[in-house]
Amino acid sequence: MSLKRACVIGWPVSHSRSPLIHRYWIKLHGIEGDYAREAVPPGDVEAFLTNIEARGFVGCNVTLPHKEAAFQSVRIADEATQKLGVVNTVFRRDGTTWGTSTDGEGFLANIASGYRGWSPANKRIAVLGAGGAARAIVATLIDQGAAEVVVFNRTLERAEILRRDFGTKVKPLPWDKAADALAETDALVNTTSLGMKGQPELDLDIARLPRSALVSDIIYVPLITNLLVRAKERGHPIVTGLGMLLHQAVRGFELWFGVRPKVTQELYDLVAADIEKGTAT
Ligand code: ATR
């Protein structure tokens, strides 16, 4: 059996925790494989992906700022990714280089792992932000039968683009309406960069949010954002961003190495410790 190698491409890429996650699974499953970091400058993405096999890789993850460029450079594997316009996972099949997005399923699987049976079906969900991360999450929530996805964004036009692309169950609202509009919300998801280490805090008042509402943040540095701290204090069920990062990695690993890995507490703790240390391993 020959050595199978995958990688993550980004610019910069040194902060990525994907090598830590995939190498953990490679070792756990006794796979003859490796997972590298590849710094690919903007403009070189297409050339890299076109020759991915010649470079010795069975596939890769794609991180910022290359997700759109990757979408343009590979054959898209499924309808959902086609609508999304971004790719975070690239793999080889039948002599072709394919791309897919696993962010939406990572988001859902993460919630389901903490709250078994939770589903967006018939729920009213508030999403903060309308950037790239929001796109995958809003698409998944609609696809899974959410009754309404209210998108609050500083730049309202970006929220309106989500409605155009994913349908009229998406309700764009201005950022300053968020606090008042939380009253009948079943789940709140932060997809903005507010609250991330080095960024301004997310100072949204959540006093009107029903206490049964699930609160989720996709930020994982810090591991527990200020929003999650405040939500926990009010008794809300909370879901961390690190869990989403781990769950989005599952399908890529399976596509490259042929084993569907599990997200365990041990893996969570390993990556959490690396994040708390401050520099990526
Ligand atoms: P990503 O791909 O990670 O989602 P992005 O596309 O830059 O990154 O999106 C960042 C999100 O955080 C956007 O919704 C952005 O709002 P705008 O669309 O108005 O830019 C939001 N965001 C960033 N800084 C913000 C701030 N200071 N106040 C409110 N929203 C902010």
Side-chain angles (χ1 to χ4, degrees):
M1 197 175 76
S2 62
L3 181 82
K4 281 186 176 176
R5 293 171 68 232
C7 64
V8 53
I9 65 168
W11 187 263
V13 77
S14 58
H15 64 282
S16 172
R17 260 72 187 195
S18 290
L20 185 61
I21 299 167
H22 289 286
R23 284 180 189 158
Y24 171 86
W25 283 330
I26 286 169
K27 196 168 165 212
L28 184 74
H29 292 285
I31 289 165
E32 208 183 318
D34 197 13
Y35 188 101
R37 274 191 190 90
E38 291 283 314
V40 175
D44 288 1
V45 176
E46 187 174 0
F48 184 94
L49 293 176
T50 306
N51 297 310
I52 192 165
E53 199 167 42
R55 289 171 194 270
F57 295 111
V58 293
C60 67
N61 282 124
V62 182
T63 188
L64 300 178
H66 295 334
K67 292 184 180 191
E68 280 100 2
F71 179 84
Q72 300 297 340
S73 308
V74 298
R75 193 154 162 201
I76 300 306
D78 50 274
E79 188 73 21
T81 305
Q82 195 69 52
K83 276 181 82 176
L84 219 50
V86 291
V87 151
N88 76 346
T89 303
V90 170
F91 59 101
R92 295 276 304 168
R93 280 292 179 286
D94 309 324
T96 301
T97 304
W98 299 87
T100 187
S101 171
T102 65
D103 281 335
E105 69 203 48
F107 171 75
L108 275 187
N110 181 36
I111 297 179
S113 80
Y115 300 97
R116 205 165 291 279
W118 192 90
S119 152
N122 306 315
K123 298 223 166 60
R124 184 174 188 272
I125 299 168
V127 172
L128 306 175
R135 227 177 135 76
I137 289 171
V138 168
T140 300
L141 292 172
I142 296 291
D143 186 56
Q144 297 293 310
E148 193 173 65
V149 179
V150 188
V151 178
F152 300 97
N153 202 46
R154 179 178 60 178
T155 312
L156 191 60
E157 293 75 25
R158 292 184 91 188
E160 282 161 356
I161 291 172
L162 293 179
R163 180 180 172 94
R164 182 196 72 194
D165 290 352
F166 302 115
T168 53
K169 285 183 177 164
V170 178
K171 300 269 155 59
L173 280 182
W175 183 255
D176 57 8
K177 294 279 187 293
D180 287 339
L182 293 180
E184 277 156 39
T185 299
D186 298 304
L188 171 68
V189 186
N190 176 45
T191 75
T192 73
S193 49
L194 297 173
M196 193 187 292
K197 191 178 168 199
Q199 299 290 322
E201 270 305 342
L202 170 59
D203 58 5
L204 174 71
D205 178 5
I206 56 169
R208 289 196 178 78
L209 190 66
R211 284 180 202 267
S212 58
L214 192 120
V215 178
S216 161
D217 203 325
I218 69 161
I219 290 171
Y220 56 88
V221 186
L223 288 165
I224 309 287
T225 59
N226 178 264
L227 172 69
L228 293 182
V229 169
R230 290 190 288 128
K232 205 170 174 190
E233 278 167 10
R234 295 187 80 238
H236 294 275
I238 65 161
V239 180
T240 68
L242 178 55
M244 176 174 165
L245 177 75
L246 301 177
H247 281 280
Q248 67 75 33
V250 168
R251 189 150 61 96
F253 190 92
E254 184 179 22
L255 287 164
W256 307 319
F257 301 114
V259 178
R260 189 164 179 88
K262 286 203 164 50
V263 174
T264 57
Q265 188 64 45
E266 188 181 75
L267 175 60
Y268 190 100
D269 292 344
L270 176 78
V271 183
D274 196 61
I275 287 168
E276 272 167 355
K277 200 178 74 193
T279 48
T281 303

